[in-house]
Amino acid sequence: MIDRRLLKNFDWGLLAVVLALSLLGIMIIYSATRPILGAEHQPFYLKQFYWIGVSLVCFFIAVTVNYMWFIRFAYLFFIFSFFLLIAVLLIGKEGMGSQRWISLGFLTFQPSELFKVFFIMSLSCYLSNREQEISLGLRDLLKIFLVFFIIPVVLILRQPDLGTVMMLLFICASIVLTAGVKRKVIVVAVIIGLISLPFVGNIVWGGLKEYQKQRIIAFINPYVDSQGYGYHINQSKVTIGSGGFWGKGYLKGTQGPLRFLPERHTDFIFSVFAEEWGFAGNMILFFIYLFIILRGFDTAKRARDPPGKFLALGLTYMFFFYFFINVGMTLGIVPVVGVPLPFMSYGGTALLTNFFALGLLINVRMRRFSLFY
Amino acid sequence: MEKRISISVYIVIFVFVIFLLKLWYLQVIKGGEYKKVAEQNRLRTIQIPAPRGIIYDNKNNALVKNIPSFDISAVKEDLPRDPETLSALSNLLRLAPEDIEERLDRSPVNTLEPVKLKQDVSLKEAARVEARMIDFPGLQVDVVVSREYIYEHINSHVMGYLGRLTLEQVKGSDYRDVPKKAFIGQMGVEKIFDKILRGVAGKKIVEVDAIGRKTRVVSLQQPVKGKDIKLTIDIKLQSEAANALTDKTGAIVALDPHTGEVLALASSPSFDPNLFSRGIHYRDWAKLITDPQKPLLNRSIQSQYPPGSIFKIITALAALEEGIITDKTIVTCTGAVFEGRLFRCWKKGGHGKVNLHRALVESCDVYFYEVGKKLGIDKIAKYASAFRLGMPTGIELNSEKHGIVPSTSWKRQTKNQRWFPGETLNTAIGQGYLSVTPLQAVQLMASVVNGGTIYRPHILKNSDYSDYGKNRIRIKRKHLELIKKALLGVVSEKKGTGLMAHSDIVRIGGKTGTVQVVGGGKVTEDSVEKYRDHAWFIAFAPEEKPEIVVAVFVEHGGHGSTVAAPIAKRVIETFYKGRHS
């Protein structure tokens, strides 16, 4: 299935960087969950290690099968994940005030993570099946909105998982805008958006859970309740800031292990990294993420056909928005919503999803010369 | 499309640059500052609340106790959440596992803050939990001191209650040294003398090691107990007064006329201050503040009512001092006087020929209409003010009302109207615009019987905290004696309106007052309560050198003579029984 010419085009560099990033993630998880004296080390870092193994299998599948095959069956995947989202609401496990996980006995996973990739695949399939030279009109946008977007978003909001909804919204908007939308439609959409903002805002605000409202208030003014919901943001800033330029050094951070920082090994892992590795480490980390993202855009540019282009583009946007929302919230630039840092945060489903996405991305890049096909 | 992808690349790079700038700001520019905060995060301050001072009555009976009790709480992060631990914990605490889960989940985001699982457990249960603590990491038993008001609703308006600091109090300067979560006095004596009572909270600073949770006590500052205070209140008398008002709305105040010491101060309906001691439940609070009878209102100082006939004392003294009447002046009461309209005496057909003594004993309205007419409103107002009506007495309790003493200038200023002669007649018998608080009424009684001295009413016995003023009213002794004699007649003579205050133990003098709620109409004892008259009785005892003065006010009680007078007698008799036993 994979021939030697393809192997020659395999992006070993990207895979190596991501693997390094994942191992760095394990190191940070290890540091963040360092036990208090006398207690046992919680085995998060080990679990993450096993998950990387499982994820590599996924990655392998995503790379070897021609991406056109995924595009062809994209809608099936989409419907499948749609049922998973319903299943979450029916039999899902609750935690932290929301219902996001399905338990398979030996492990639990989070369908909303996986859904993002299927969503991108389906969108790519839809967009590549139309005349490429014509910009998207109002009818196309409505179709995309009604068919791909609205129902899953409602289901995900029911969990509720604000982070994923935000991600989907950003990804969808970015792909559509990059695909090209008629100027007239954009103008009309902006006007309608501005007019309906108060109403929609009201409905959204009313539909939020109390903790979500509190987080948004805390985001606007973290000092309102510095022991309550502003706590996340304040402690995250303290954690990051106290790292200084050179950082406190690996395993020398105090904020995480002393539990001043909540969710230190999942959503706030960046803060722990920033505390121990400082501004210097952050610059390197940023270059790694920037490398991954720019490589993604490059892949999109070079893709041999529209499906590959849209797929690469969507996945790249996904990586970017993961990074943007996660790091943004630890810096206090974006409200606190539960979005992991790709390849680093503890969490099996997210890791699996990201490696699967990486596989697809490398897949598109590998098969960019139609000549060899 | 290629072009749009390039735009995306620029946007992405732009975001990375912004993020890096923000990081530079946090880590390099503000880095030192945050480093300090992070350091401080390793030090934790644990507040040790100070026991409040005890409050005693004037015979050294404790009115309040500090009860140690135990709270069981858990640090959420440390407590394992597996089903076995949870069910074992639920057995230990005798709480349903769902309850424990719910409490833990409701807790604040700061997972280091201990979550209260069970409050007010007994010493026995606390010991049982303490013994098994090793099996439950994160579980802790805290000693807390709660305030128990021994006499419950009996003296709640004097004692007040405790509550958490309000937002304004946190911001203000008076409570700067008080820990944010402390309970402080929010009403009554507890509030006014909070500074004396509250003591100084202790502090334990504990260091959390960078590699672990192993803590070290950096410094320990023991709490200093608040100072005890002694009140002028006599709890026996207070109880009698409170009980006398059961099922009634009103107030009773008793003073020592020679010092201004408040012996009893009751307001009804009342409340149980113990409800507040550990933080009042919102349902209880809602019940208290929505009750139309307003149990939190201290009617003895915060409600003002027309004084009715008890004001005739002032009218009489003013007339005597101004030389308008002597004790021999006779007025013929035909049952009414005409002054723009008909002003009736309460007694149909009139009292006939009356002198000052009879006019006070039988509370003849016509006598005082005539006297008032001659005096004029401003003379009346002058003497009312001399007796400190229309201004707060200055008692230590909060939110005292000042009452109203009308005059021509008062009316011009507040209503921008001229004074009508008929209104003088109303004022002369204590109706109309006039209003006084029960405390002002009893202060009036005190200065009539102590020879014309105003002592500032107060409830704190140890006078080293405050200097209580003393003021002489320029008034002739012999005029006061005339009044006093008449007041004794009110209770002892056959036609006296205060006969029901007559006691076999001690000679009581006093004055009744009945305040019409609905003007004009005939109001009887059995009419609907809200239209019934208010009843006043102010009294003193004994005849020579009075030792106690009492004011009784019953809202919508009916007649002063039948409702208020017996209550005053009951209170005075209790005072003497207590004194002689």
Side-chain angles (χ1 to χ4, degrees), chain B residues 327 331 333 347 350-364 367-368 486 490 493 495-497:
Chain B
D327 55 329
V331 169
C333 169
K347 191 175 177 185
H351 290 90
K353 286 188 172 166
V354 286
N355 62 4
L356 176 64
H357 186 83
R358 246 193 96 196
L360 279 170
V361 169
E362 295 176 32
S363 207
C364 172
Y367 183 93
F368 291 98
V490 168
E493 286 172 31
K495 286 194 171 172
T497 52

Side-chain angles (χ1 to χ4, degrees), chain B residues 87-332:
Chain B
S87 77
L89 186 62
S90 111
N91 276 334
L92 181 67
L93 301 181
R94 300 193 177 115
L95 282 173
E98 304 84 60
D99 272 4
I100 298 177
E101 287 261 33
E102 200 214 315
R103 271 165 214 254
L104 289 171
D105 288 336
R106 243 188 335 183
S107 65
V109 181
N110 178 356
T111 44
L112 285 171
E113 185 98 349
V115 183
K116 285 233 158 78
L117 294 180
K118 207 172 178 187
Q119 276 196 341
D120 282 328
V121 303
S122 64
L123 176 64
K124 219 173 119 197
E125 190 173 356
R128 197 161 51 83
V129 172
E130 194 104 36
R132 299 247 352 244
M133 215 124 83
I134 193 130
D135 302 332
F136 302 98
L139 206 62
Q140 58 186 60
V141 175
D142 305 313
V143 186
V144 286
V145 181
S146 82
R147 198 90 158 143
E148 188 185 301
Y149 298 90
I150 300 162
Y151 294 91
E152 295 173 355
H153 62 278
I154 293 290
N155 58 342
S156 49
H157 291 99
V158 173
M159 300 298 277
Y161 56 79
L162 299 184
R164 289 209 195 278
L165 285 165
T166 63
L167 217 59
E168 292 92 74
Q169 286 166 336
V170 171
K171 285 182 192 149
S173 58
D174 288 355
Y175 297 93
R176 199 168 289 154
D177 315 329
V178 180
K180 300 249 167 335
K181 287 194 164 172
F183 277 85
I184 54 145
Q186 293 289 22
M187 183 190 161
V189 166
E190 291 275 28
K191 177 173 187 168
I192 301 299
F193 302 121
D194 190 70
K195 248 193 182 127
I196 303 165
L197 289 167
R198 70 175 166 233
V200 184
K203 226 186 248 175
K204 192 155 109 180
I205 298 176
V206 178
E207 194 190 68
V208 184
D209 201 350
I211 36 157
R213 197 69 177 292
K214 190 148 181 125
T215 54
R216 177 174 78 86
V217 179
V218 176
S219 75
L220 174 66
Q221 191 187 332
Q222 291 290 359
V224 182
K225 182 179 176 285
K227 288 202 188 86
D228 297 344
I229 59 173
K230 189 171 170 180
L231 301 183
T232 59
I233 298 286
D234 176 345
I235 193 62
K236 256 196 191 150
L237 200 65
Q238 176 75 26
S239 304
E240 190 64 29
N243 290 333
L245 285 176
T246 311
D247 299 329
K248 294 188 173 71
T249 304
I252 296 176
V253 191
L255 298 184
D256 179 336
H258 295 287
T259 56
E261 287 182 357
V262 177
L263 301 171
L265 188 146
S267 174
S268 178
S270 185
F271 61 93
D272 182 359
N274 290 310
L275 285 177
F276 293 84
S277 289
R278 295 295 307 274
I280 187 165
H281 194 280
Y282 70 92
R283 249 183 267 130
D284 292 328
W285 176 246
K287 224 160 103 193
L288 280 177
I289 55 170
T290 55
D291 189 333
Q293 290 286 339
K294 297 188 177 148
L296 289 175
L297 185 74
N298 185 353
R299 288 179 160 74
S300 58
I301 59 166
Q302 291 168 344
S303 283
Q304 34 196 15
Y305 314 91
S309 296
I310 62 174
F311 190 75
K312 288 172 182 168
I313 295 172
I314 300 275
T315 311
L317 279 170
L320 285 168
E321 285 288 312
E322 294 292 323
I324 287 168
I325 55 165
T326 67
D327 55 329
K328 301 199 175 61
T329 310
I330 301 277
V331 169
T332 307

Side-chain angles (χ1 to χ4, degrees), chain A residues 44-148:
Chain A
F44 288 119
Y45 66 100
L46 271 180
K47 281 192 188 163
Q48 181 82 344
F49 195 77
Y50 301 143
W51 271 110
I52 290 180
V54 176
S55 301
L56 281 174
V57 174
C58 259
F59 170 83
F60 185 73
I61 295 169
V63 165
T64 41
V65 180
N66 189 327
Y67 64 88
M68 277 314 289
W69 186 86
F70 287 105
I71 295 292
R72 204 166 300 140
F73 295 105
Y75 293 158
L76 271 180
F77 282 113
F78 187 83
I79 291 165
F80 169 68
S81 59
F82 176 74
F83 282 117
L84 282 181
L85 287 177
I86 295 176
V88 170
L89 292 177
L90 295 178
I91 57 163
K93 251 178 55 168
E94 257 193 79
M96 317 284 287
S98 56
Q99 198 164 351
R100 298 179 188 171
W101 290 269
I102 289 185
S103 177
L104 296 179
F106 56 99
L107 54 85
T108 58
F109 80 102
Q110 216 178 329
S112 60
E113 286 290 341
L114 216 51
F115 178 77
K116 286 169 203 143
V117 177
F118 296 151
F119 173 77
I120 292 166
M121 279 164 33
S122 308
L123 207 55
S124 307
C125 176
Y126 174 80
L127 288 172
S128 51
N129 277 341
R130 49 186 296 290
E131 191 61 55
Q132 291 305 304
E133 299 313 311
I134 304 167
S135 296
L136 293 162
L138 194 60
R139 188 170 299 181
D140 298 298
L141 292 187
L142 268 177
K143 241 185 238 167
I144 291 170
F145 183 73
L146 292 175
V147 175
F148 297 108

Side-chain angles (χ1 to χ4, degrees), chain A residues 167-210:
Chain A
M167 288 281 296
L168 289 178
L169 189 72
F170 284 166
I171 294 170
C172 186
S174 308
I175 296 178
V176 166
L177 282 173
T178 316
V181 179
K182 283 188 182 130
R183 191 153 295 168
K184 221 165 51 186
V185 176
I186 295 180
V187 173
V188 170
V190 167
I191 291 172
I192 291 176
L194 284 179
I195 292 171
S196 65
L197 192 66
F199 304 102
V200 175
N202 231 341
I203 292 165
V204 170
W205 183 255
L208 291 181
K209 289 212 168 184
E210 199 45 46

